[in-house]
Structure formats: structure tokens, C-alpha cells
Amino acid sequence: MSVTATTWAPLDLPASGKLPFTDYTRWRLRCSPYGDHTWHYLPPSASPEPQPECDRYWLGLEEAQRTAPTLPPAATPLDAARNGYRYFERLQVADGHWPGEYGGPMFLIPGLVIGSYVTGAGFKTEERMEMVRYLFNHQNEDGGWGIHIEGPSTVFGTALNYCAARLLGLKPDHPVALRARACLHKLGGATGIPSWGKFWLSILNVYDWDGNHPVPTELWLLPDWVPIHPHRWWIHTRNVYIPMGYLYGVRFKAEETDLVLALREELYTQNYYSIDWPAQRSYVNPVDLYTPHTMVLEGLYKILDTYESCPFPPLRRAGIRRAYELCVLEDENTDCQNLGPVNKMMNHIVRFHADGPESEAFKKHCDRRADFMWMGQEGMMMCGTNGSQLWDIAFTAQALIETGLGAEPEFRASLVKALEWLDICQIRENPKHHQSAYRQATKGAWPFSTRTQGYTVSDCTGEGLKAVLYIQEHLRDAPKLISERRLCDAVDIMLDLQNSDGGFASYELIRAPQAMEYINPAEVFGNIMTEFNYPECTTSVITALAIFRKHYPHYRKGDIQTVITKAVEYLHKCQRPEGPWFGSWGICFTYATQFALESLSLVGETYSTSAAARRACDFLVSKQRSDGGWGESYKASLRLLAWVEHEQTQVTQTNWAVMALMYAQYPHPEPIERGVRLVMSRQRPDGSWPQEAIEGVFNKNVAISYPNFKFSFSIWMLGRAQRYLDELKAGKV
Ligand code: LAN
């Protein structure tokens, strides 16, 4: 493979991305037996095969053409839940799971495109066209792009996506390019791009490596016990800095093609060749700054910059070799799919550089790019992970059981298929390279997406286990596909993940002091250096263990009790004084509070018995809007601020708030009834709900979409509400 004119040739593109650039009836989603998805464009020669409903839904064809059947109007919340599931079931694929798009962040397509361009890994023309279209559709009014689809324009978003669009074939005089350049220049040009942007531009050879602070791989040569050793960093951060260190160490850069030379002209307000590069290292445009460099980091950089001017070659070589070894271990553990989309594209370049374009590893990397590329109605995006398969199926399965819908003959088969997928998704072994790659155990865990990706996540294991227990224990004659031993393996995984203060973090135990945040070099993210405890992760584990012990009361009884007690203590400690819990992965207080009240209810704490539950409910009720719903903005996550209202009421947050009240056995029906009415009023005649605002967040500053939530949580809430309101009226609560 090489950078050929045919692969990257300029495209003639319409002025706007409103209408598809390709024939949408030709796109097909294919799934591996493990639920890994890839989209394919059928060549004109292919015999036309019918397009499955799932594909049509995600491509927006169903909505555009209104082809879904109209359902009998819902008279009760349970009818509405049933209609919702009738719609959602059509989106389940043959292996039992629900595929879904997982877009939102706007710094992922650039990594994909730059990493592919510099290694000569091509795209199909249709993929290029639809990626550009996605960029067109997410361009802000002012011509720029933000760090995520709802964010204001930043240098990071604008410079990187501008480069991506140009590499994909956008001509420099196209109106979209003109507007983007105008915005970038108004922001002062690309010099002030944050450090991860400096890195990608340097790879593309349109920013000098001298404009970057060092990324020393030598740190990996320190003994493991050193408190700041990189194996102690948060897994996403260390997995990004490993290949980044390698590529910095070898100063990898693209060939100086005409396009590269043109970009050097287009990205800056001054002459590229006159830029004082070292002066840019610590310069980040204020519009981009989320975590400014601390004095500690600046001090550290002074030392590193000095070392960099005369590095000790054998040490540098050993550091680079070590980084390469770690990339190989990660590739072998995940079949080159890797932990996430950022390190995936960096490893792709490392393997190209070290192993060559003909190597098996590089070829595998090229193929695996497709796992992150998703076709949506606005074009083709790069997802935050290779999907959210386990996460979505776990909530849907629990919703079906708790509402009783799963037991209705019409839906039973769908639920059994979901169980089959949960069975396939559970990780059976520890990683191939376990200790040597500093990995947490995985045997018995459920990952966030698929088994191929294969990373333990505390709350995914919790939700996966709950879903399996619900189906196997509550669905009459359900096949017991997952043995007791395997359920116990999942429990072991969770018990080993508790931190000393009782909380649970995301992928691993907290391995380093949290003061490491002082040396966070990525100015656009917060809380990324180490693991932190999260109420959401903690509550999922408490809930899963509490449900597990009801069915298996003897397994590690004492350990489970101790872990739950300490976790509940942690949960009490991190409740905000006003009543809610702060969510780090969903927006925001409604999200975390529903998980918290679910787990408190399982240890007997409800509105009438617990002051904590009462405070939480009163807080939520105080935020209910006059239309009966709730709505929070992603902005609440930015600065640990208090509640931030969204301009519109949101179905998903209304679901979370009502679920929270029901978990706590809130004694008054009105707020629940009003929430139910709001969610029912937003349901369409075909049973679906339209997409509203973005639902998730990460690293404080980035929003991410969970489009299946509008189905799983609406069905769950409405079905439960029916029973809850009946019980409340009958005086049974
Ligand atoms: C996710 C998505 C899921 C999420 C939950 C399971 C919801 C959470 O409770 C634990 C953390 C986890 C697994 C999580 C961690 C960070 C991820 C992987 C993401 C938000 C999806 C994308 C994000 C990842 C870091 C994106 C790549 C960007 C970098 C800055 C490396």
C-alpha cells in the first residue's frame, strides 16, 4: 500500500452535507459472532439483498420514509413500554444484541484519517465521502468544530477536522473549507492547538516536532514500584502515551506531499517556516483550555526539555524498544483492536513504522479500523469505542425482566437471544499477556463492548452479571447458559476491584496517588491521570452483588458482605450535600442518582428509612419541570458545578429521575405520573422515541452519545411505573 492518487484524490462535493453523498440503500452492517460490527458498501455488481430494519434505522431511512408500522395507541404506561419494545426488537440483530452508533467526540476522525494517510492505508471512496459529509454536518455556524458534536469551536476541533477533511478530498476553495479556515484563522491559527493536536499535526508533518514537549518513553524503564511509574496511570492515558512516546521518540512524520505543503500554508496565520516552534510547546489557545498546565508540570517540562536537547542515546533506544514491546502486547491482547480509538490509530502507525507495511500486524490494524467506523444518518463517524454492545444489551435485558415484557410470548425469543449474546460476550480467560502488560484480571468479566476488545470494566461486569441473573433466574425455563462457576468468576472480578476507601473505579484498582493530576499534560481533559472512584461504578457493583447473593447465598458470603458494607459507606460519603450524586459518565446528577438509589434500595435504604434517599428524592423532585420532565445539560460535567438545566426537557433524564424515585419508593405518585406522561407524550405512533440531546460524558470535557438509552430506559421506566403506581395506589409500597 502507498499514498496513491486514487486513494486520496480530491473529491467533487456538494455545498452541504444535508443529502447523502452515497446510495444509502447499499450500506450493510455485518456482525462477527462476537458482536464486532463493520459497515460495508455493496458494489453496484452485488445482487441486491434486502436491507435489514436495523440498518435502515441507523441510516435514518426508516425515519425519512416512515416505514415502521403504526401501533395501537398506548392507553397505559405498560402499553407504551410494549410499543417501545415492539419497535426496539426490530433493531436487534440475529446474534441477539443491539448495535448502535457511539459518536460524539470530534477528535477521533482526525486520528483515523491522519493515521491512515501517513501509513498509506486507504479508504473506499464511499467511506471518504461519508466521513467528509459527517464533518460537514457537524461544522458549527462559525465554520469550526468543537471537541464534541455539541461543543463550541476550538482550535483542537477545527484544525484537526480541517486537516481530516482536506486529506479525505475536500478542496481548499470549497465553501466548507473556506469557512473552516476563516474560523481557524480567527482563533489565531493552529499554533495554539493543545498537546494531543500538536502530536497529530506533527505526525502529519504540518507542525514541527520541536513545538511539542517531550513524551519520554524512558519513564517505562523505571522500576515498577516507583509511585509515578506509567503502569499506574489510568489505562486510557497510559495506552495513549505508549505509542505517542514511541512516535515522538522516532520523530515519525509523513512524506512532504503537495497536500502536506498546502496544509502548512492553510493552517497558520503566519509563515510556517518562520514559526518559533519551541515557543509553542506550552502555548494553548484559551478557548481550548480545560486543564491548564500546573507549575509542577511546567517545572517537569523544563527538566525534560533540557534532557531532550541531549538525550542519552542508549537510554532513548531502550525506552523506544520498551514502548514498542508494550504496543505489541496490547495488539496481541486485543487482536489489534486495542482499548480505544485513539491508541488504536497510534499503534497502527507504530506497527507500520516498526514492522513495515507488509507485516501481518499492520494489515490486521488496517482491517480493524472498520470496527470503529460507523455509518449514521449524518455520514460516517469514528466511535468512542468499537460500540456499546454489552452496555446496551444489559440495560435492555434488565428492562424486559423488570417490566415483565420479557415473559410475554411475543418477546420471549428475543430475550433468550439476548442471553445467548451475553454468554458469548463474557470473557473466559485472563489476558494472553496479563502481568507483563500490566493488565487487570479479565476471567469472568464483561467488557463495555465486545469480548474481542476484552477489557474488564467494573460496572459493565456488574450490569452484565445482573442481566444474566435476571434472565436465568426469572424467565421461566430459561436455558442456564452461564454456569454457576462463571457467575462466581464475575463476582471474583468485582471483589478484587474494590479500592481501600470502598469505592470502585472503571477498569482497574487505583494504582497511583491522585495528585498525579498535577502533571496532566492533555489540556483538554480532566481527571485522566489515574483511576478515580465513581459512584456509578460503585453502585453497579453493589447492586450486582446484592442480587447475586439472593440466588447464591453461600458463595464468598463474608467477602460480599464486607465489600457491600464498605461500598455503601463510600456512597454515603460521596453524596452531594444537596442530595444527588455527581455522574462522570452520563449526564449527570439524574444519571448517577438513579444508580445510587437503586443500590441503596437493595440494602434496605429507601425514602422512608434513609435520610440519604430522602434528600436525593427531594432534590430530584425540586428539579422537575412544569411539563413533568427533567433535562440536564452536559455542561454540568464541566466544572463539577451544580445542576445545569438543558434548554429542553429530555426523555432520557426523565427516565432516570423517575427510576430513581421509584427505586427509593417515593411515596407520592404525582411526580412519577407526570414524568410518565411526558415520556409517553414523546413516543411516536410506531413506538419509537426521537433522538434528543447527547446523553453521556467522559473526562469532564467531552460528550458522547448513547442513542439506545432512549429505548432501554424508556421501556424500563414506563413498565416499572405501571406496577409501581398500581402498588402505590393499593397501599403496598
Ligand atoms: C467509556 C464508555 C463507558 C464507560 C462506563 C462503563 C459508562 C463507565 O461507567 C466506566 C468508563 C467507561 C468504560 C468509559 C471510559 C472512557 C471511554 C472508553 C468511554 C467514555 C468511551 C470513550 C472513552 C475513551 C477514553 C475515548 C478515547 C479518548 C481518549 C481521551 C483516550
Side-chain angles (χ1 to χ4, degrees):
M1 262 181 276
S2 66
V3 183
T4 60
T6 47
T7 323
W8 297 93
L11 297 167
D12 282 315
L13 297 166
S16 112
K18 270 216 177 81
L19 297 174
F21 291 173
T22 57
D23 176 357
Y24 261 43
T25 63
R26 293 199 161 272
W27 288 99
R28 293 290 183 284
L29 182 65
R30 309 252 186 257
C31 299
S32 82
Y34 296 117
D36 306 295
H37 328 121
T38 46
W39 281 96
H40 302 263
Y41 194 71
L42 299 181
S45 56
S47 61
E49 39 171 313
Q51 199 169 23
E53 284 167 326
C54 164
D55 302 22
R56 290 177 51 75
Y57 172 80
W58 290 106
L59 293 165
L61 294 175
E62 187 154 289
E63 189 172 338
Q65 298 164 0
R66 301 245 172 255
T67 43
T70 298
L71 299 171
T76 64
L78 187 62
D79 285 348
R82 187 177 298 106
N83 280 354
Y85 194 61
R86 283 200 178 122
Y87 188 93
F88 197 38
E89 193 198 3
R90 298 163 57 245
L91 312 185
Q92 185 181 27
V93 291
D95 66 22
H97 84 286
W98 281 265
E101 90 180 32
Y102 196 41
M106 285 303 288
F107 52 92
L108 302 179
I109 286 185
L112 170 69
V113 174
I114 294 173
S116 299
Y117 182 79
V118 302
T119 59
F123 292 112
K124 293 204 182 95
T125 306
E126 292 80 10
E127 293 169 339
R128 281 200 292 144
M129 293 179 73
E130 290 299 341
M131 278 193 269
V132 180
R133 182 167 161 255
Y134 184 80
L135 298 180
F136 280 22
N137 283 326
H138 289 285
Q139 187 176 34
N140 290 334
E141 288 277 288
D142 63 5
W145 288 271
I147 193 169
H148 58 85
I149 53 175
E150 294 192 7
S153 301
T154 59
V155 178
F156 192 46
T158 309
L160 286 181
N161 286 302
Y162 180 79
C163 289
R166 290 281 285 118
L167 298 180
L168 287 167
L170 180 70
K171 293 179 184 163
D173 52 357
H174 187 283
V176 169
L178 292 175
R179 285 199 295 128
R181 253 189 349 262
C183 174
L184 182 61
H185 288 197
K186 205 164 152 210
L187 289 170
T191 46
I193 195 167
S195 58
W196 288 29
K198 290 179 173 26
F199 167 82
W200 280 118
L201 296 186
S202 303
I203 291 283
L204 187 56
N205 209 351
V206 298
Y207 203 96
D208 199 292
W209 276 114
D210 244 1
N212 292 254
H213 280 301
V215 187
T217 47
E218 284 88 334
L219 283 179
W220 281 98
L221 304 173
L222 293 169
D224 285 354
W225 55 262
V226 173
I228 62 152
H229 188 284
H231 87 271
R232 299 172 186 277
W233 302 1
W234 187 44
I235 195 158
H236 277 282
T237 305
R238 71 174 189 259
N239 275 8
V240 163
Y241 280 99
I242 293 168
M244 201 189 248
Y246 175 99
L247 295 167
Y248 173 81
V250 302
R251 304 292 197 278
F252 182 97
K253 53 186 178 206
E255 261 173 61
E256 274 185 10
T257 57
D258 289 345
L259 191 47
V260 164
L261 295 176
L263 284 171
R264 288 182 184 171
E265 301 267 314
E266 293 163 29
L267 291 171
Y268 301 94
T269 52
Q270 64 273 65
N271 179 331
Y272 181 79
Y273 303 93
S274 69
I275 294 172
D276 175 359
W277 291 106
Q280 310 308 322
R281 290 181 192 165
S282 281
Y283 169 56
V284 175
N285 192 308
V287 298
D288 286 71
L289 269 188
Y290 180 79
T291 307
H293 292 179
T294 59
M295 305 235 301
V296 184
L297 181 64
E298 281 297 318
L300 193 66
Y301 274 149
K302 285 227 162 64
I303 301 169
L304 291 174
D305 286 345
T306 312
Y307 168 72
E308 202 54 43
S309 57
C310 51
F312 181 48
L315 205 59
R316 176 51 51 96
R317 277 199 298 274
I320 291 177
R321 203 173 325 114
R322 182 80 185 111
Y324 170 71
E325 281 163 15
L326 290 163
C327 289
V328 173
L329 298 184
E330 160 76 346
D331 286 348
E332 292 186 358
N333 275 338
T334 61
D335 198 29
C336 291
Q337 190 183 84
N338 299 171
L339 173 63
V342 179
N343 81 315
K344 192 259 170 290
M345 285 315 299
M346 293 183 183
N347 276 23
H348 167 103
I349 310 174
V350 170
R351 300 306 297 267
F352 167 80
H353 180 262
D355 300 57
E358 295 307 323
S359 65
E360 282 310 306
F362 177 67
K363 287 185 188 154
K364 179 66 115 186
H365 260 292
C366 291
D367 293 346
R368 282 276 177 211
R369 290 174 303 164
D371 292 51
F372 293 90
M373 293 158 67
W374 180 272
M375 261 312 285
Q377 24 185 328
E378 292 145 345
M380 182 163 243
M381 70 201 79
M382 174 88 166
C383 295
T385 55
N386 62 322
S388 51
Q389 292 84 329
L390 178 279
W391 203 231
D392 286 321
I393 200 171
F395 291 128
T396 306
Q398 292 175 62
L400 286 180
I401 293 292
E402 284 202 353
T403 55
L405 289 174
E408 296 185 3
E410 171 181 5
F411 300 129
R412 189 191 151 88
S414 149
L415 195 53
V416 172
K417 270 201 294 174
L419 177 65
E420 286 166 6
W421 196 85
L422 285 160
D423 171 28
I424 287 188
C425 182
Q426 189 185 22
I427 309 170
R428 312 286 175 97
E429 300 300 338
N430 282 325
K432 180 170 173 200
H433 306 291
H434 185 184
Q435 257 85 19
S436 56
Y438 302 100
R439 290 279 303 270
Q440 186 78 29
T442 49
K443 184 172 183 219
W446 272 276
F448 175 67
S449 54
T450 61
R451 187 166 145 191
T452 315
Q453 190 255 11
Y455 273 85
T456 296
V457 183
S458 62
D459 53 354
C460 298
T461 305
E463 300 301 331
L465 178 64
K466 269 158 69 182
V468 168
L469 285 170
Y470 270 31
I471 305 177
Q472 293 197 164
E473 300 296 332
H474 296 284
L475 185 69
R476 203 146 44 86
D477 302 328
K480 296 271 189 289
L481 297 182
I482 296 160
S483 64
E484 179 170 346
R485 185 60 251 161
R486 282 172 57 201
L487 299 174
C488 295
D489 288 343
V491 169
D492 292 346
I493 285 281
M494 289 189 285
L495 294 179
D496 283 346
L497 275 170
Q498 189 169 42
N499 288 305
S500 55
D501 60 355
F504 284 77
S506 55
Y507 295 81
E508 296 170 337
L509 288 166
I510 298 172
R511 297 180 180 181
Q514 291 179 341
M516 289 274 302
E517 215 48 42
Y518 282 108
I519 57 164
N520 173 356
E523 304 85 359
V524 289
F525 307 117
N527 283 9
I528 60 159
M529 291 307 289
T530 63
E531 277 282 11
F532 285 81
N533 286 320
Y534 297 102
E536 304 98 299
C537 297
T538 310
T539 53
S540 277
V541 173
I542 301 176
T543 313
L545 292 175
I547 292 174
F548 171 83
R549 72 174 169 190
K550 282 191 196 156
H551 301 290
Y552 299 91
H554 304 300
Y555 186 71
R556 298 189 63 180
K557 193 173 169 200
D559 295 338
I560 291 180
Q561 185 54 50
T562 316
V563 165
I564 291 184
T565 309
K566 271 174 65 184
V568 171
E569 268 167 36
Y570 160 80
L571 207 55
H572 281 298
K573 268 192 259 144
C574 67
Q575 184 176 17
R576 307 265 303 198
E578 330 81 88
W581 280 264
F582 177 79
S584 295
W585 307 108
I587 303 170
C588 176
F589 292 101
T590 45
Y591 178 72
T593 305
Q594 71 123 21
F595 284 113
L597 291 182
E598 179 185 16
S599 51
L600 287 187
S601 74
L602 281 162
V603 295
E605 290 197 38
T606 57
Y607 194 86
S608 59
T609 60
S610 147
R614 216 159 29 244
R615 253 189 308 143
C617 290
D618 293 343
F619 174 85
L620 287 177
V621 170
S622 77
K623 297 294 177 196
Q624 189 168 27
R625 298 170 169 221
S626 56
D627 63 5
W630 280 260
E632 289 187 80
S633 157
Y634 74 83
K635 291 181 187 137
S637 311
L638 294 179
R639 299 270 166 218
L640 245 185
L641 290 174
W643 178 280
V644 183
E645 288 288 344
H646 198 283
E647 302 88 65
Q648 274 103 35
T649 302
Q650 302 292 316
V651 160
T652 294
Q653 280 137 5
T654 304
N655 290 325
W656 290 334
V658 176
M659 291 281 278
L661 295 177
M662 293 191 293
Y663 284 128
Q665 301 185 9
Y666 189 70
H668 312 295
E670 306 80 41
I672 297 171
E673 283 167 349
R674 293 175 55 221
V676 164
R677 275 202 296 277
L678 184 280
V679 174
M680 285 176 74
S681 74
R682 299 255 172 117
Q683 191 173 29
R684 293 168 168 152
D686 60 11
S688 69
W689 283 269
Q691 180 60 36
E692 299 178 341
I694 203 153
E695 303 86 351
V697 276
F698 65 92
N699 301 352
K700 301 273 179 230
N701 196 26
V702 192
I704 188 158
S705 313
Y706 289 86
N708 279 331
F709 280 1
K710 62 182 176 286
F711 293 111
S712 51
F713 284 102
S714 298
I715 294 166
W716 198 348
M717 185 284 271
L718 291 170
R720 269 189 74 117
Q722 171 93 50
R723 196 157 8 107
Y724 187 76
L725 291 169
D726 288 348
E727 284 173 5
L728 208 56
K729 278 179 197 139
K732 287 198 204 135
V733 171

Short mmCIF file of all heavy atoms in Angstrom, two decimals, residues 125 191 263 280 322 325 342 356 376 381 436 460 490 519 529 532 542 546 554 590 594 617 638-639 696-697 721 732:
data_model
loop_
_atom_site.label_atom_id
_atom_site.label_comp_id
_atom_site.label_asym_id
_atom_site.label_seq_id
_atom_site.Cartn_x
_atom_site.Cartn_y
_atom_site.Cartn_z
N THR A 125 -13.83 4.99 -1.60
CA THR A 125 -14.26 6.36 -1.90
C THR A 125 -15.55 6.69 -1.14
O THR A 125 -15.73 7.79 -0.62
CB THR A 125 -14.49 6.52 -3.42
OG1 THR A 125 -13.29 6.09 -4.05
CG2 THR A 125 -14.80 7.94 -3.80
N THR A 191 -1.21 27.15 15.70
CA THR A 191 -0.07 27.08 16.64
C THR A 191 -0.53 26.76 18.07
O THR A 191 0.13 26.02 18.78
CB THR A 191 0.73 28.41 16.68
OG1 THR A 191 -0.21 29.47 16.77
CG2 THR A 191 1.62 28.57 15.48
N LEU A 263 -1.18 22.27 3.37
CA LEU A 263 -1.73 22.44 4.73
C LEU A 263 -0.84 23.35 5.57
O LEU A 263 -1.33 24.12 6.40
CB LEU A 263 -1.90 21.07 5.41
CG LEU A 263 -3.12 20.28 4.92
CD1 LEU A 263 -3.08 18.85 5.47
CD2 LEU A 263 -4.42 20.96 5.34
N GLN A 280 5.99 27.41 21.13
CA GLN A 280 4.60 26.94 21.07
C GLN A 280 4.32 25.80 22.06
O GLN A 280 3.18 25.43 22.28
CB GLN A 280 4.25 26.43 19.65
CG GLN A 280 4.61 27.37 18.52
CD GLN A 280 4.05 28.77 18.76
OE1 GLN A 280 2.94 28.94 19.27
NE2 GLN A 280 4.84 29.77 18.40
N ARG A 322 11.05 -0.50 24.58
CA ARG A 322 10.07 -0.89 25.60
C ARG A 322 8.66 -0.47 25.16
O ARG A 322 7.70 -1.21 25.29
CB ARG A 322 10.44 -0.20 26.92
CG ARG A 322 9.55 -0.55 28.07
CD ARG A 322 9.93 -1.90 28.65
NE ARG A 322 8.98 -2.28 29.68
CZ ARG A 322 8.12 -3.28 29.57
NH1 ARG A 322 8.10 -4.02 28.48
NH2 ARG A 322 7.28 -3.56 30.55
N GLU A 325 7.46 -2.83 22.56
CA GLU A 325 7.04 -4.11 23.15
C GLU A 325 5.64 -4.00 23.75
O GLU A 325 4.80 -4.89 23.58
CB GLU A 325 7.98 -4.52 24.30
CG GLU A 325 9.28 -5.12 23.86
CD GLU A 325 10.31 -5.11 25.01
OE1 GLU A 325 9.93 -4.91 26.20
OE2 GLU A 325 11.49 -5.27 24.70
N VAL A 342 -8.18 6.04 20.09
CA VAL A 342 -7.00 6.90 19.98
C VAL A 342 -5.74 6.05 19.96
O VAL A 342 -4.92 6.13 19.05
CB VAL A 342 -6.97 7.93 21.14
CG1 VAL A 342 -5.73 8.79 21.04
CG2 VAL A 342 -8.22 8.79 21.12
N GLY A 356 6.60 -2.61 9.29
CA GLY A 356 6.52 -2.44 7.84
C GLY A 356 5.14 -2.67 7.30
O GLY A 356 4.31 -3.37 7.90
N GLY A 376 -23.88 6.61 10.00
CA GLY A 376 -25.12 7.11 10.59
C GLY A 376 -25.85 7.97 9.58
O GLY A 376 -25.41 8.11 8.44
N MET A 381 -18.88 8.15 10.98
CA MET A 381 -18.14 8.70 12.12
C MET A 381 -17.14 7.68 12.64
O MET A 381 -17.15 6.52 12.22
CB MET A 381 -19.12 9.08 13.22
CG MET A 381 -19.78 7.91 13.89
SD MET A 381 -21.30 8.33 14.73
CE MET A 381 -22.45 8.42 13.37
N SER A 436 2.57 -9.08 32.32
CA SER A 436 3.60 -8.39 31.52
C SER A 436 3.03 -7.13 30.86
O SER A 436 3.77 -6.20 30.56
CB SER A 436 4.16 -9.33 30.46
OG SER A 436 3.10 -9.82 29.67
N CYS A 460 -19.50 -2.66 33.99
CA CYS A 460 -20.00 -3.50 32.89
C CYS A 460 -20.11 -4.93 33.38
O CYS A 460 -21.05 -5.66 33.03
CB CYS A 460 -19.08 -3.40 31.68
SG CYS A 460 -19.01 -1.72 31.04
N ALA A 490 -17.32 -13.86 37.76
CA ALA A 490 -17.65 -12.43 37.64
C ALA A 490 -17.62 -11.78 39.02
O ALA A 490 -17.13 -10.65 39.18
CB ALA A 490 -19.02 -12.25 36.99
N ILE A 519 0.19 16.67 36.96
CA ILE A 519 1.04 16.62 35.76
C ILE A 519 0.25 16.13 34.54
O ILE A 519 0.81 15.59 33.59
CB ILE A 519 2.32 15.77 35.98
CG1 ILE A 519 2.00 14.35 36.42
CG2 ILE A 519 3.24 16.45 36.98
CD1 ILE A 519 3.18 13.40 36.27
N MET A 529 -5.34 11.15 34.75
CA MET A 529 -4.03 10.57 35.01
C MET A 529 -4.11 9.23 35.75
O MET A 529 -3.30 8.34 35.53
CB MET A 529 -3.16 11.55 35.80
CG MET A 529 -2.74 12.75 34.98
SD MET A 529 -1.97 12.29 33.41
CE MET A 529 -0.41 11.65 33.96
N PHE A 532 -10.09 6.89 39.28
CA PHE A 532 -10.78 7.54 40.39
C PHE A 532 -11.94 6.63 40.77
O PHE A 532 -12.40 5.84 39.94
CB PHE A 532 -11.37 8.89 39.95
CG PHE A 532 -10.36 9.98 39.80
CD1 PHE A 532 -9.59 10.08 38.65
CD2 PHE A 532 -10.16 10.90 40.81
CE1 PHE A 532 -8.64 11.08 38.51
CE2 PHE A 532 -9.22 11.91 40.67
CZ PHE A 532 -8.46 12.01 39.53
N ILE A 542 -22.39 -2.88 43.75
CA ILE A 542 -23.20 -3.19 44.94
C ILE A 542 -24.48 -3.91 44.50
O ILE A 542 -24.86 -4.95 45.05
CB ILE A 542 -23.64 -1.90 45.69
CG1 ILE A 542 -22.43 -1.10 46.14
CG2 ILE A 542 -24.56 -2.23 46.86
CD1 ILE A 542 -22.78 0.24 46.80
N ALA A 546 -25.53 -7.66 45.43
CA ALA A 546 -26.73 -7.85 46.26
C ALA A 546 -27.71 -8.80 45.58
O ALA A 546 -28.35 -9.64 46.24
CB ALA A 546 -27.38 -6.50 46.54
N HIS A 554 -24.37 -18.67 49.44
CA HIS A 554 -23.21 -19.20 50.16
C HIS A 554 -21.87 -18.79 49.59
O HIS A 554 -20.86 -18.86 50.26
CB HIS A 554 -23.29 -20.74 50.24
CG HIS A 554 -24.58 -21.16 50.87
ND1 HIS A 554 -24.92 -20.80 52.15
CD2 HIS A 554 -25.64 -21.86 50.37
CE1 HIS A 554 -26.12 -21.26 52.43
NE2 HIS A 554 -26.58 -21.90 51.37
N THR A 590 -28.97 13.20 37.43
CA THR A 590 -30.05 12.20 37.30
C THR A 590 -29.45 10.82 37.05
O THR A 590 -29.94 9.82 37.57
CB THR A 590 -31.02 12.55 36.15
OG1 THR A 590 -30.26 12.92 35.01
CG2 THR A 590 -31.97 13.65 36.54
N GLN A 594 -29.85 7.84 39.94
CA GLN A 594 -30.69 6.63 39.78
C GLN A 594 -29.89 5.38 40.13
O GLN A 594 -30.40 4.48 40.79
CB GLN A 594 -31.33 6.54 38.39
CG GLN A 594 -30.41 6.25 37.30
CD GLN A 594 -30.60 5.07 36.39
OE1 GLN A 594 -31.68 4.49 36.24
NE2 GLN A 594 -29.52 4.74 35.77
N CYS A 617 -34.24 12.21 46.74
CA CYS A 617 -35.56 12.32 46.08
C CYS A 617 -36.03 13.77 46.11
O CYS A 617 -36.52 14.29 45.10
CB CYS A 617 -36.60 11.46 46.79
SG CYS A 617 -36.32 9.72 46.55
N LEU A 638 -18.75 19.82 33.29
CA LEU A 638 -17.51 20.53 33.00
C LEU A 638 -16.73 20.91 34.26
O LEU A 638 -15.54 20.74 34.34
CB LEU A 638 -17.78 21.79 32.18
CG LEU A 638 -18.33 21.57 30.77
CD1 LEU A 638 -18.58 22.90 30.08
CD2 LEU A 638 -17.34 20.76 29.95
N ARG A 639 -17.42 21.45 35.23
CA ARG A 639 -16.69 22.00 36.38
C ARG A 639 -17.26 21.54 37.71
O ARG A 639 -17.19 22.27 38.68
CB ARG A 639 -16.76 23.53 36.36
CG ARG A 639 -16.14 24.17 35.16
CD ARG A 639 -14.67 24.46 35.38
NE ARG A 639 -14.04 24.75 34.10
CZ ARG A 639 -12.83 24.37 33.75
NH1 ARG A 639 -12.10 23.66 34.57
NH2 ARG A 639 -12.33 24.66 32.58
N GLY A 696 -24.22 11.19 27.20
CA GLY A 696 -23.08 10.77 28.03
C GLY A 696 -21.94 11.77 28.04
O GLY A 696 -21.91 12.72 27.25
N VAL A 697 -21.00 11.55 28.94
CA VAL A 697 -19.80 12.39 29.01
C VAL A 697 -18.61 11.53 29.38
O VAL A 697 -18.77 10.40 29.87
CB VAL A 697 -19.90 13.47 30.12
CG1 VAL A 697 -20.62 14.69 29.65
CG2 VAL A 697 -20.48 12.93 31.39
N ALA A 721 -43.15 1.77 36.08
CA ALA A 721 -44.06 2.78 36.64
C ALA A 721 -45.48 2.23 36.72
O ALA A 721 -46.20 2.49 37.68
CB ALA A 721 -44.03 4.04 35.79
N LYS A 732 -49.44 -0.66 48.80
CA LYS A 732 -48.47 -1.75 49.02
C LYS A 732 -47.02 -1.27 49.08
O LYS A 732 -46.11 -2.06 49.27
CB LYS A 732 -48.61 -2.78 47.89
CG LYS A 732 -49.87 -3.61 48.01
CD LYS A 732 -49.74 -4.87 47.17
CE LYS A 732 -51.10 -5.42 46.79
NZ LYS A 732 -51.19 -5.81 45.41
#
